[in-house]
Structures are given as C-alpha cells and as structure tokens.
Amino acid sequence: MALPCLLWVWLLVPGIQGVKDGDMLLGNGAAANEGRVEIFYGGQWGTVCDNLWDLTDASVVCRALGFENATEALRGAAFGPGTGPVMLDEVECTGSEPSLADCRSLGWLKSNCRHKQDASVVCSNETRSSHTLDLSEELSFALGQVFDNQRDCDLFIHVVGQGPEELDLCAHTLILTANPEAQALSGAPGSNVTMSVDSECMPVVRDFIRYFYSRRIEVSLQSVKCFHQLASAYGAQQLQAYCGRLFATLLPQDPSFRAPLDLYAYALATGDVLLEELCVQFLAWNFEALTQVEDWLSVPTTLLQVLLPRTELTVSSELALLQALDMWSRGTGASHGEVEDLVQHVRFPMMLPEDLFELQFNLSLYRAHEALFQKKIMQALEFHTVPFPLLAQYRGLNLTEDAYVPRMYTSATWSAMVTRDSRNRRNQGLWYGSRSQFAFPYTPEPYGGRYGPYQSFQTPQHPSFLFRTKQMSWTLLYLPTMQSCWNYGLSCTSGELPVLGLTQSGYQDPTIGYENKALILCEGRFVADVTDFEGLKAMIPSAAATNSSRRASTFPCTSGAFSGFRVTIRPFYLTNTTSLD
C-alpha cells in the first residue's frame, strides 16, 4: 500500500508534474499576458530579482510563454510580492535565449533581494512596425578620433602649468557646444582659450578635453585627483561627481597611505568637505596600519588633531596609539605645544596600571611632558582603583567623556574574528602585531585564513583594573543561512542574511553596558566598513554598490566579497544606573 499512497501524494502536489528547471509562468496578473515572473528550479517555484531587469529580459519570458514580445518590464513587485526563494538576480539576456535560466546572472539562489524587488512583465502578441539599427557606440570612438587628429579646428586652447610647461591644443566649437559639460571651453569660432592648471595635472589635460568629444574617460588612482580638480574648475559636473564617487574606491588601493594623505591635503586646499571627511573616515578605521608605514612620519599635525579625538579609531590598544605618537613626535620635530595638545586626546584610563607605570621608563614623550603625564596617569589610576559609585559621588567625574570610552581595540583582549570559511582555527593569532612592532614597511598578516565562521573568546567585563578577574564569554558567529541562525538560537529574516551574531554568557554587571562594533574587512588589507551590533546581530553591508536593498560598504571591496569580520568589545559604565543609589 505504501507505493500507491506515495503515487497519489505525488499526483496531488500541484504545479510540479512534468515541470523542469528553467520553466516559467506569470503569477498574480489580471490577465494571462501579465504578472510576476516565476521560474522553476530544484523542485520549487521562485521569483526573479529586478536588479538589471529590462525589456530584453522580459521578452525572453514572454516568447517562452508563447507571446510575440514584451511591452513592459516592471520592477518593484508590480503584481505583488511572491513567496519562496528568489531564484535569479542580475539577469542579463541577449534576447535569443529559450529561458531566463540560459541568460547571464549571478546563478541559482545567489540573491540577497527581498520579494519587494520581484520582477514582472506585460506580454503582447503585437509585432513592432519598425526596427532600429543602433551604431551609436561607434560615435564615441569616431569623435575621439576627430580630437586626436587635431585638424580643421576653429578653437585654440593654450594650457599653462605652474612652471615652464606649456601645451597647445585645438578643438571644434560645434562639438564642444553640443556638450553641456564643455561650455566653459566652447568659445566663439576662431577664438583662443587659456587654461591654467597645476603642473602635476599637465599630463592628463589632453584626456580631459578629449572627454568632451568621446564622453568617455579612464580614471586611475594616479589621475583621479587631477580629473576632479579640472572638472571642478571647468564645470564638468558629471565628471566631477564621478570622480567624487571613485575616491571611496581608490583610497584603499594604496597600501602606503600616500594617496589618502595627498587627497586629504587636496580636500583641505579646495574646501571639499565631503572628500575631507571621507579621507578622515578611512584613515581612522585603518589607523593602526597607518602608524606602521613609512609615511606615518609625514602625517600632518592638523590631521592627527582630527583623528585622535575619534572613538571609531581602529588600533590594537591605547598603549599602541601612544607609542605611535611617541615615534611620530621624534620623527617630525613637532613643537612642544603641538605634541602636548595631541597627548591630551590619549585615553590613559584605557591602559592597564602596569603599562602606565612603565611609561616613565619607556617613552620619550614622558620626559618632555612629565607634568601632563603625571596628571593623566593619576586620573587613570583613580579610574582603575576607585569603585564606580565612589567616582561618581565624590569626584564628580563625567564618565561619558571620551577619556573613559574605549576605541575600537583589535588586540586579543577585546577582539575576535571570523570568516566565511567553514574551518574554525581558534587562538592562532590576530592581525595586528604586538605593541612593540613598528617596523617599516608595513606588511600585515592577512585578515582571514586562520579563522572560521564562529569564534568563542573571553574579555574582561570592563577596562577598569577592578574587573581584571571578572570575565565575559562571547561567541562571534557568521550566519549565512536561516538554519545557522536557528542553530544558535537567533531569529533572522531572509533579507538580513548573511548576518553577524554575537552571544554572551556570564554575570552581567548592572553598572556596565556594551556598544560593540563589527569591522568589515576586505582583501586582507583594510577595514571597508564598521557596523553596530544591535541586540545580538550586526548587518553586513554589500561589498560593492549594487541595486540591492542592502546598504553598500563605505569603501567598496572590489574583490566582491569580504575577507573577514572582526568584533571589538566596548564596555562602558552606565552612568544613569540605579545601582548608584
């Protein structure tokens, strides 16, 4: 009887008898020629994400279902959100494929889309009355050739650098006036135009003017600053905006940090506030790596005055930061007042008492600023030895001040790391070296490679020495699937995945809270983003800017995938706790 029963069950399951992978249907439409695109794979129906969805893709669906073509390619779940998995994403068809399964895409079940992005179509049996031959792509090349030939011109451009460099080019008024971005150069026929540019930008001027012809330009790490500068000066707004977006991609490409430092100086000189903040953000998140390259000694005082007050500063420990500042002061010859101002931003309470004691023997800064160091060390020792209620009651300390707030410390005391790798190799070192490691050039141990998708570790409950024997146990998790969330007792939605999880165990002191951070690591070289742990989870951004609903990483990871994820545990006193009463 078992076999007939199974046969009846199979016959009663709707929608899968005789269906094969790649078959499609339209769902939830008011008529047979419209609806949400659904495609069959692996024994179930699912939807298609609308990233890159266009009329060519829609026509493949319509012709497969017996229609002549598609009249509309709709996005945003126009016929309502579907159910089941999102089968395909970033579909790109040529128009001749028998199914979306044969088109280029990310592959089966490799989408982070939610059903609010389900693709839909409207099909028709009407045929087009006309057809288009489009050779417009050849126009860009042809116009570029017109400029390269430098013949039959009616506009003459004289380019002057800051030194003896000069360059003479000719152009065509008719072509320049047709481009809104070139209006600053499109003078009357027969006229002369003079361009004054920085000497370092002379090599790219020809490419800049050629861009007004071909409307195409290649921008590199070496040229982006000059193109941005020329575009800003001559009103090429689209090129200016494009270069502005590229800065975030290009900043991490120079492991020597020369490019970020130069761009920061350029942002200050031009008053570009957005670029200035972008550079500061990158340097703050990658501060420890900055301190270990040769150009650390060329970091200007003004930049350190911006960086050191930041809490979102990535460094192995506060002691490592102070040691790096000591090296910088000896290598740059900064004035006594400048160095003392920077020392004010060092968070002495975040250092252990034994480290504070050794400063007088191991740090040249101590001898040059002894009175300031003694004051700061006394403040730190009170923090380490006086219970919290007494500090608040008798000293009137504002424990929300920066000095009492941890930065993003990556040493083993406060940090752990996971990767997407299924292997789990614990307790085999961390990315940042010991506090005495300041060798040039900087060659960090790669992020990843030694870690797996979960990591159990312990930290002190609080930076105060009073908690030196009280440990908190943590587990950092990389959770790529719903099942992995369930395995660790976490509640996740499909739209959150993959996500980071952080669980804790042990006695929770009512006077202590945590603001933990997740460092998103790329290519084993740099921190691409920082996210907060809200509750037990931290969202992982998209590695690059896409049409995904997931927020893009601040600094794109051009490899397409992050190499690892590091948590930094950040305890602080709850100053409004009732335990003080």
Side-chain angles (χ1 to χ4, degrees):
M1 290 298 293
L3 185 60
C5 289
L6 289 174
L7 180 61
W8 275 107
V9 170
W10 179 80
L11 290 172
L12 289 171
V13 175
I16 64 171
Q17 297 92 338
V19 181
K20 64 182 183 299
D21 289 350
D23 283 355
M24 298 175 290
L25 57 80
L26 301 182
N28 213 37
N33 69 318
E34 65 180 23
R36 179 180 58 251
V37 178
E38 302 202 5
I39 189 168
F40 189 82
Y41 175 74
Q44 59 182 330
W45 290 94
T47 61
V48 176
C49 182
D50 63 9
N51 289 333
L52 306 182
W53 186 249
D54 61 18
L55 206 58
T56 303
D57 307 326
S59 294
V60 169
V61 176
C62 291
R63 283 194 286 272
L65 297 177
F67 298 96
E68 291 290 335
N69 52 51
T71 58
E72 294 184 69
L74 303 173
R75 300 186 179 193
F79 290 93
T83 58
V86 178
M87 293 293 191
L88 296 173
D89 193 356
E90 296 189 14
V91 174
E92 295 181 272
C93 301
T94 63
S96 60
E97 295 88 349
S99 167
L100 295 182
D102 301 295
C103 299
R104 181 179 178 181
S105 72
L106 296 181
W108 294 108
L109 299 171
K110 293 184 178 179
S111 174
N112 291 323
C113 286
R114 303 183 183 185
H115 282 299
K116 65 181 181 181
Q117 291 180 261
D118 286 343
S120 304
V121 299
V122 176
C123 302
S124 173
N125 282 321
E126 297 179 5
T127 58
R128 296 180 180 178
S129 59
S130 62
H131 300 271
T132 301
L133 173 63
D134 186 359
L135 301 178
S136 59
E137 289 185 2
E138 298 179 7
L139 182 61
S140 173
F141 176 79
L143 288 174
Q145 289 292 101
V146 171
F147 174 75
D148 292 340
N149 290 335
Q150 290 285 288
R151 294 201 301 263
D152 302 321
C153 304
D154 59 1
L155 181 66
F156 301 92
I157 302 174
H158 183 59
V159 186
V160 181
Q162 293 173 327
E165 310 97 329
E166 293 187 0
L167 178 66
D168 289 303
L169 299 168
C170 72
H172 306 80
T173 304
L174 180 62
I175 295 176
L176 293 182
T177 54
N179 188 340
E181 288 201 278
Q183 297 310 300
L185 292 177
S186 56
S191 63
N192 296 321
V193 175
T194 299
M195 293 177 63
S196 297
V197 303
D198 291 343
S199 296
E200 65 173 323
C201 296
M202 287 289 287
V204 305
V205 171
R206 181 183 290 271
D207 290 337
F208 174 67
I209 299 175
R210 191 182 194 275
Y211 160 74
F212 295 132
Y213 282 70
S214 66
R215 306 199 184 194
R216 183 179 184 278
I217 194 167
E218 293 184 2
V219 185
S220 68
L221 175 63
Q222 291 73 32
S223 64
V224 63
K225 184 176 73 174
C226 281
F227 281 131
H228 185 270
Q229 184 176 342
L230 291 169
S232 303
Y234 292 95
Q237 295 181 356
Q238 292 186 68
L239 178 58
Q240 180 183 357
Y242 178 74
C243 291
R245 293 191 297 271
L246 270 183
F247 285 132
T249 301
L250 298 176
L251 276 172
Q253 293 185 13
D254 183 0
S256 74
F257 285 89
R258 186 68 262 162
L261 293 174
D262 286 346
L263 285 175
Y264 175 76
Y266 167 69
L268 287 182
T270 58
D272 191 326
V273 178
L274 293 179
L275 177 58
E276 178 186 347
E277 175 55 29
L278 189 69
C279 293
V280 171
Q281 186 73 88
F282 178 76
L283 294 170
W285 287 351
N286 294 276
F287 184 78
E288 175 116 345
L290 171 64
T291 66
Q292 299 188 14
V293 298
E294 191 170 359
D295 276 327
W296 166 241
L297 300 181
S298 66
V299 174
T301 305
T302 53
L303 178 54
L304 287 180
Q305 289 170 340
V306 175
L307 286 171
L308 294 190
R310 294 200 165 208
T311 295
E312 283 200 0
L313 193 81
T314 301
V315 65
S316 60
S317 66
E318 199 70 21
L319 178 62
L321 184 152
L322 182 56
Q323 290 173 324
L325 184 59
D326 185 56
M327 172 179 284
W328 177 89
S329 67
R330 287 185 279 112
T332 60
S335 71
H336 184 277
E338 288 174 334
V339 174
E340 188 148 300
D341 181 60
L342 295 175
V343 172
Q344 294 281 3
H345 297 298
V346 176
R347 304 183 180 186
F348 286 83
M350 296 298 107
M351 299 183 215
L352 291 173
E354 55 264 37
D355 293 330
L356 293 169
F357 175 75
E358 291 178 356
L359 293 179
Q360 59 187 310
F361 307 109
N362 301 329
L363 209 68
S364 61
L365 278 176
Y366 184 95
R367 293 183 288 276
H369 305 269
E370 186 170 350
L372 175 61
F373 268 78
Q374 288 178 350
K375 175 183 175 182
K376 292 291 185 180
I377 290 173
M378 181 59 66
Q379 175 192 27
L381 291 176
E382 284 184 342
F383 174 81
H384 282 294
T385 58
V386 179
F388 174 39
L390 292 179
L391 280 176
Q393 181 178 356
Y394 292 108
R395 298 295 293 171
L397 295 181
N398 181 3
L399 294 172
T400 63
E401 289 181 356
D402 289 344
Y404 304 104
V405 178
R407 304 184 199 263
M408 299 191 297
Y409 300 128
T410 59
S411 69
T413 304
W414 297 109
S415 176
M417 176 177 154
V418 294
T419 69
R420 298 177 301 158
D421 196 332
S422 61
R423 295 168 296 175
N424 182 33
R425 306 172 181 175
R426 286 177 276 179
N427 302 321
Q428 296 191 34
L430 295 166
W431 174 59
Y432 289 127
S434 67
R435 69 191 190 194
S436 61
Q437 179 185 358
F438 287 91
F440 298 132
Y442 175 58
T443 53
E445 175 185 317
Y447 282 123
R450 294 187 175 191
Y451 304 91
Y454 67 92
Q455 182 82 284
S456 295
F457 61 104
Q458 289 187 322
T459 69
Q461 285 188 355
H462 191 270
S464 170
F465 193 67
L466 294 171
F467 296 88
R468 65 191 182 280
T469 61
K470 300 176 181 179
Q471 297 285 306
M472 289 293 294
S473 296
W474 307 85
T475 299
L476 177 63
L477 310 159
Y478 174 79
L479 304 169
T481 63
M482 298 287 285
Q483 184 64 52
S484 61
C485 290
W486 296 335
N487 289 345
Y488 290 99
L490 298 180
S491 174
C492 304
T493 64
S494 58
E496 293 177 319
L497 302 174
V499 69
L500 296 176
L502 182 66
T503 64
Q504 69 179 79
S505 59
Y507 171 71
Q508 177 68 60
D509 191 300
T511 66
I512 298 173
Y514 294 90
E515 290 182 349
N516 302 324
K517 300 282 186 178
L519 310 185
I520 312 300
L521 315 175
C522 178
E523 299 177 3
R525 294 191 302 107
F526 67 93
V527 177
D529 207 295
V530 173
T531 60
D532 296 325
F533 275 93
E534 298 179 358
L536 302 178
K537 295 179 293 185
M539 296 296 293
I540 299 174
S542 171
T546 65
N547 293 328
S548 169
S549 58
R550 189 178 293 264
R551 176 181 69 82
S553 174
T554 302
F555 300 98
C557 188
T558 55
S559 64
F562 298 117
S563 58
F565 311 92
R566 181 178 292 279
V567 61
T568 63
I569 304 300
R570 300 176 60 245
F572 63 96
Y573 278 132
L574 295 169
T575 55
N576 60 347
T577 179
T578 57
S579 297
L580 296 177
D581 299 336

